[in-house]
Amino acid sequence: MRFWFILGTVENFWVLVFFTQIITHAQDSKQPNIIFILADDLGWNDVGFHGSNEIPTPNIDALAYSGVILNNYYVNSLCSPSRSALMTGKYSIHTGMQHLVLLPAEPRGLNLSEKLLPQYLKELGYVNHMVGKWHLGYWKKEYTPMYRGFDSHLGYYNWGHHYYSHTLNPSPSWGYDMRRNMSVAFDLHGQYSTTVFTDESVKIIKNHNISQPLFLYLAHAAVHAATAYDSLPAPDDVVASFANLTDDHWDNYRRQKFAAMLTLLDDSVGEVMQALADRKMLENSIIIFSTDNGGAAEGYDISEASNWPLKGAKNSLWEGGVRGAAAVWSPLIKEKSRVSHQMMHITDWLPTLLDAAGGNSSQLSEIDGISMWDTLTNNVDSNRSEILLNIDQTTGEAGLRIGDYKIITGRSNDISWDGWFGPTGRNVSGYNLSVIENSLAYQALDSVKLAVDLDEIDAIRENATISCGDFDQGSCLPEDVCLYNISNDPCEYVNLAKVFPNTVTAMLVTLGEYNDTSLPPQNIGDDPSADPRLHQHVWSIWGDNETISELLEVIP
Ligand SMILES: *[C@@H]1O[C@H](CO)[C@@H](O)[C@H](O)[C@H]1NC(C)=O
Ligand SMILES: *[C@@H]1O[C@H](CO)[C@@H](O)[C@H](O)[C@H]1NC(C)=O
Ligand SMILES: *[C@@H]1O[C@H](CO)[C@@H](O)[C@H](O)[C@H]1NC(C)=O
Ligand SMILES: *[C@@H]1O[C@H](CO)[C@@H](O)[C@H](O)[C@H]1NC(C)=O
Ligand SMILES: *[C@@H]1O[C@H](CO)[C@@H](O)[C@H](O)[C@H]1NC(C)=O
Ligand SMILES: *[C@@H]1O[C@H](CO)[C@@H](O)[C@H](O)[C@H]1NC(C)=O
Ligand SMILES: *[C@@H]1O[C@H](CO)[C@@H](O)[C@H](O)[C@H]1NC(C)=O
Ligand SMILES: *[C@@H]1O[C@H](CO)[C@@H](O)[C@H](O)[C@H]1NC(C)=O
Ligand SMILES: *[C@@H]1O[C@H](CO)[C@@H](O)[C@H](O)[C@H]1NC(C)=O
Ligand SMILES: *[C@@H]1O[C@H](CO)[C@@H](O)[C@H](O)[C@H]1NC(C)=O
C-alpha cells in the first residue's frame, strides 16, 4: 500500500504489480520453513536414540523418534569439508576442501564461484538467517555468510572458540571471534555460546514474518572443544548434575563437562521447537538435526565424545569419523517414526531441500548430491548406492562406499584412531521415557499432534542401535587396502580384502575415477597479516582494508 502513495508514475505502477505478485505468490505457497541444526563433533553414541543411557538427550530424541532417524547417513570427517559439502551439494574434492580444515590465518575460503544453499533458497523466496559457526573462510568479506546468501549472521568464523570468552587460538596470538552481521560483537563476551545462539534463534523465529518461508541455519559451537586451558566449558551447576558419571571413561571430569555441554545443546533443540510451535510454524517446517563429523573421542582435542561401537573418531574415514548421528522431522514426511537405512550423504541436503522448497533439483548440474525428498517423505528406495567418503591427496587417505562394501586405503599417516573408544553408555541405569515426554520438543510436537507414540520408542530405539556381536578385530595394517561389508559389519571388525580381491580392484578403479575429477587441495597455510595483534585482538577480516576500518569504528 505504501508503495502506491509514494510512487505514482506509470512505470511505478508496474513495479507495484510486480511486488504484489511476489507477495501473493509467497502467501499462497506452502513452502516449508527449513530449520537446519548442525552440531559440532557430536559422536554417534552421544545421542540417546542410538542406545546410550549415559547423557539424556530427550529433545533430540523426541525429534528423532517422531521423524526419521538417518542411520545410514554419511558426513565428512572434519568441519570445513562437511560444511562445504552441505552448502554446495558437492564432494569436498570438487571444491578443493578435502584436506584438513581452514586455519584461522589462512587467506582462502570456499570458492566464490560456488553457489550456496541459501542463495538457491533466496531465489525460491526464502528469508535466510544464520546463527553460529561458519568455517568456510573470512579473509575477505565476500567469503562471509552475509555475502553468501544469509540475511543475518550472529556467530563466528573459525573452527571454534571459547564458549564464554569467544577467543581462540594462541597461534600466532589470541583473538576474539564473535559477530553480529559484519560487526564484532564485543558485548557478547562472557555469555555462553550455546545460550547466545539459542536466544538468537528463538528471536528470529519470534520476529519472522510468516508471509515468507524461513531458512534458519543454526550451526552450534557445541560440542566442539574450546581451548587447551579449558577444553570443555560449561555452566558449573550443570556439570555438577553429572557428578555420578564415573564409569568407563578416559577422564571422568571431562566426560561430565562434555555431558553438560551436550545438555545445553539438547535444551536448545527443545527451545527452538517450542518457539516454532508458539508461532504456529511447526506444522509447516522441516527440522534437521545432524552432526558435522564423528565425535572427538578419548582425548582427541582434549574432548570425550563417544562413537561406540563404531570404529575410529573425527578425522578418520572409519565409520566413527564419517557416519553421522542425524534425524529429520517434518509433517511432510508421510511415514514417520522409523529408522531409515537408505544411504544418504551430507551433499544430498542441498537438492533434497530445494525439492522440498518447491525448486527442481534435476535442473542442477555439477553437484554430487542426490535428492532424497521422495525417499524421505514416501519411504521409497534411495537413488544413492555409492558415497565417496573422501580422497585426501596430501595424506593419501581415501575411502569409498558402494552398496554394502566400503574400502579404505592410504591410511599410513596416522593410526592413533584405529580403535574402538567408549564410553559405551550401556552400564548406566535405564532410559526414562517420562523425561522424553516432559521435554520441550516432545511437548511442542504433541501440541500439534505430531509426536511419536511413547509406546513405540523402545522398538524404534532398538532398530536404531547398532550392535556388532563379539569383538573380533580383523587385521588392517596402515599400508593395507581394507574392505568391509558395512551392512553386516558396521563396526569394521573383519577385513575382507583377501576374500574378495576383485571387489577391491573394482572399487579402487572407481576411486581413481573420482580422483581424476578432483581439484588439488587448496590449503595454503598462514598469512602473517591475519595476526589478531594487528587487528585489535580480533580474528578480523584482513584482506579488505575497508573492513578493517569498519572494525575500528566499532571498538568500544
Ligand atoms: C575458483 O573457481 C574458478 C571458476 O571455476 C576457477 O577458475 C578458480 O581456479 C577457482 N579457484 C580456486 C582457488 O579453486
Ligand atoms: C543484521 O542484518 C539484518 C538485515 O539483513 C538486519 O535486519 C539486522 O538488524 C542486522 N543486525 C544487526 C545487529 O545489525
Ligand atoms: C509481513 O510482510 C508482508 C509482505 O511484505 C507485509 O504486508 C506485512 O505487513 C508484514 N507483516 C508484519 C507483521 O510485518
Ligand atoms: C561397562 O560395560 C562394558 C560392556 O557393556 C564393560 O565392558 C565395562 O567393563 C563396563 N564398565 C564398568 C565400569 O562397569
Ligand atoms: C524438473 O526439471 C526437469 C529438467 O529440466 C524437467 O524435465 C522436469 O519436468 C522438471 N520437473 C518439474 C516438477 O518441474
Ligand atoms: C531416482 O532417479 C530417477 C531418475 O532420475 C527418478 O525418476 C526417480 O524419481 C528417483 N527416485 C527417487 C526416490 O528420488
Ligand atoms: C523418570 O523421570 C521422571 C521425571 O521426568 C522422574 O520423576 C522419575 O523418577 C524418573 N524415573 C526413574 C525410574 O528414574
Ligand atoms: C524395526 O525393524 C524391523 C526389521 O527391519 C521392522 O520390521 C520393524 O517395523 C521396525 N520397527 C520400527 C518401530 O521401526
Ligand atoms: C553383506 O552382508 C549381508 C549380511 O550378511 C549379506 O546379506 C550381503 O549379501 C553382504 N553383501 C555382499 C555384497 O556380499
Ligand atoms: C589421486 O591422484 C594422485 C595424483 O595423480 C595420486 O598421487 C594418488 O595416488 C591418487 N589417489 C587415489 C586414491 O587414487
Side-chain angles (χ1 to χ4, degrees):
M1 270 303 136
R2 194 184 236 163
F3 277 104
W4 186 244
F5 294 115
I6 298 170
L7 316 168
T9 65
V10 173
E11 295 94 304
N12 285 331
F13 172 76
W14 291 110
V15 172
L16 178 68
V17 169
F18 176 70
F19 270 95
T20 311
Q21 277 174 346
I22 291 181
I23 291 161
T24 311
H25 170 75
Q27 281 171 337
D28 288 346
S29 83
K30 293 278 183 289
Q31 287 166 294
N33 304 302
I34 299 170
I35 320 299
F36 201 111
I37 304 173
L38 192 67
D40 200 345
D41 288 4
L42 184 70
W44 177 267
N45 194 42
D46 292 325
V47 288
F49 68 78
H50 278 152
S52 172
N53 292 336
E54 206 186 33
I55 305 170
T57 53
N59 291 288
I60 297 168
D61 292 7
L63 172 86
Y65 297 134
S66 305
V68 176
I69 294 177
L70 303 172
N71 249 32
N72 204 357
Y73 164 72
Y74 287 81
V75 289
N76 278 79
S77 69
L78 285 169
C79 307
S80 301
S82 251
R83 285 157 208 262
S84 61
L86 172 64
M87 285 293 144
T88 60
K90 294 185 183 180
Y91 286 136
S92 53
I93 58 163
H94 292 148
T95 53
M97 300 290 264
Q98 66 270 48
H99 176 62
L100 293 176
V101 298
L102 278 161
L103 304 175
E106 231 179 347
R108 68 174 175 121
L110 181 58
N111 197 328
L112 296 175
S113 63
E114 299 295 341
K115 184 171 174 181
L116 307 191
L117 177 59
Q119 294 172 313
Y120 287 104
L121 289 172
K122 177 128 285 198
E123 289 175 354
L124 295 171
Y126 277 71
V127 171
N128 303 317
H129 294 286
M130 173 168 177
V131 179
K133 166 170 165 176
W134 178 237
H135 209 188
L136 292 173
Y138 69 101
W139 75 290
K140 289 188 170 178
K141 63 178 184 300
E142 287 75 17
Y143 288 88
T144 65
M146 295 293 288
Y147 286 80
R148 306 206 78 172
F150 289 102
D151 298 305
S152 76
H153 176 221
L154 174 69
Y156 58 102
Y157 291 154
N158 280 293
W159 57 38
H161 63 188
H162 189 275
Y163 288 50
Y164 290 105
S165 73
H166 312 315
T167 55
L168 87 139
N169 205 37
S171 169
S173 74
W174 289 90
Y176 189 74
D177 190 3
M178 187 68 118
R179 303 230 164 207
R180 262 198 200 86
N181 295 346
M182 301 310 293
S183 305
V184 183
F186 289 105
D187 61 304
L188 294 173
H189 180 266
Q191 298 183 39
Y192 195 69
S193 296
T194 307
T195 309
V196 168
F197 299 151
T198 304
D199 291 351
E200 173 73 6
S201 301
V202 168
K203 196 171 108 190
I204 286 168
I205 293 165
K206 275 197 176 137
N207 294 337
H208 177 64
N209 183 335
I210 55 170
S211 67
Q212 270 182 289
L214 168 70
F215 172 46
L216 171 60
Y217 175 43
L218 169 51
H220 272 289
V223 289
H224 195 293
T227 52
Y229 71 85
D230 184 15
S231 64
L232 302 167
D236 288 336
D237 56 330
V238 189
V239 178
S241 72
F242 286 102
N244 62 334
L245 292 188
T246 53
D247 235 17
D248 202 14
H249 297 131
W250 166 72
D251 180 311
N252 286 330
Y253 184 49
R254 287 214 163 81
R255 184 66 179 169
Q256 291 161 14
K257 295 188 91 173
F258 183 93
M261 290 166 79
L262 176 51
T263 298
L264 270 83
L265 171 65
D266 182 70
D267 288 346
S268 174
V269 172
E271 287 186 41
V272 166
M273 289 173 69
Q274 188 63 58
L276 289 166
D278 290 347
R279 285 296 315 279
K280 310 238 175 308
M281 290 165 66
L282 197 53
E283 298 94 315
N284 188 31
S285 290
I286 302 169
I287 306 173
I288 295 140
F289 178 85
S290 171
T291 188
D292 67 334
N293 48 245
E298 241 174 70
Y300 189 112
D301 286 346
I302 334 181
S303 184
E304 195 171 357
S306 173
N307 303 306
W308 191 87
L310 301 181
K311 187 176 185 176
K314 173 182 177 180
N315 196 14
S316 79
L317 295 183
W318 299 116
E319 294 290 278
V322 293
R323 194 154 168 174
V328 53
W329 175 88
S330 176
L332 298 166
I333 296 174
K334 292 180 192 81
E335 267 191 66
K336 288 190 271 293
S337 294
R338 68 182 165 92
V339 179
S340 162
H341 302 288
Q342 289 126 336
M343 276 171 95
M344 181 165 178
H345 186 251
I346 191 166
T347 53
D348 297 339
W349 287 118
L350 185 138
T352 301
L353 294 174
L354 294 188
D355 282 346
N360 184 347
S361 70
S362 50
Q363 288 170 355
L364 300 174
S365 55
E366 299 190 356
I367 65 163
D368 298 300
I370 297 174
S371 178
M372 294 286 145
W373 188 236
D374 205 17
T375 301
L376 292 175
T377 53
N378 297 318
N379 195 12
V380 296
D381 285 347
S382 148
N383 268 346
R384 186 179 270 291
S385 57
E386 186 169 307
I387 294 173
L388 178 69
L389 299 172
N390 201 26
I391 305 173
D392 181 337
Q393 290 84 1
T394 307
T395 62
E397 189 182 44
L400 173 70
R401 180 136 178 224
I402 300 180
D404 292 334
Y405 286 124
K406 169 175 170 183
I407 54 166
I408 182 163
T409 177
R411 218 162 23 83
S412 45
N413 208 39
D414 180 7
I415 56 163
S416 29
W417 302 102
D418 278 18
W420 293 262
F421 309 98
T424 69
R426 303 302 194 269
N427 318 44
V428 184
S429 67
Y431 190 60
N432 188 340
L433 293 187
S434 72
V435 174
I436 295 182
E437 190 181 6
N438 291 330
S439 71
L440 276 183
Y442 183 91
Q443 296 295 322
L445 293 168
D446 197 40
S447 73
V448 291
K449 306 273 173 288
L450 288 165
V452 63
D453 178 348
L454 292 169
D455 296 337
E456 286 181 41
I457 289 183
D458 285 339
I460 303 169
R461 189 179 193 224
E462 196 177 317
N463 277 11
T465 299
I466 287 182
S467 34
C468 291
D470 290 339
F471 180 72
D472 173 17
Q473 184 179 358
S475 96
C476 177
L477 298 172
E479 60 274 23
D480 287 348
V481 180
C482 300
L483 177 76
Y484 300 91
N485 178 339
I486 295 296
S487 303
N488 187 37
D489 177 23
C491 297
E492 298 169 294
Y493 288 162
V494 185
N495 175 9
L496 298 170
K498 291 206 168 65
V499 185
F500 301 113
N502 295 339
T503 304
V504 172
T505 307
M507 287 179 79
L508 285 175
V509 168
T510 306
L511 204 50
E513 287 164 4
Y514 276 111
N515 200 21
D516 292 342
T517 68
S518 177
L519 288 172
Q522 299 296 310
N523 314 64
I524 47 181
D526 287 352
D527 175 352
S529 42
D531 188 336
R533 282 172 298 195
L534 304 173
H535 311 295
Q536 312 284 345
H537 304 281
V538 167
W539 283 108
S540 173
I541 295 163
W542 74 93
D544 302 316
N545 291 330
E546 179 199 341
T547 316
I548 291 171
S549 44
E550 275 168 28
L551 166 71
L552 297 179
E553 278 168 30
V554 300
I555 299 272

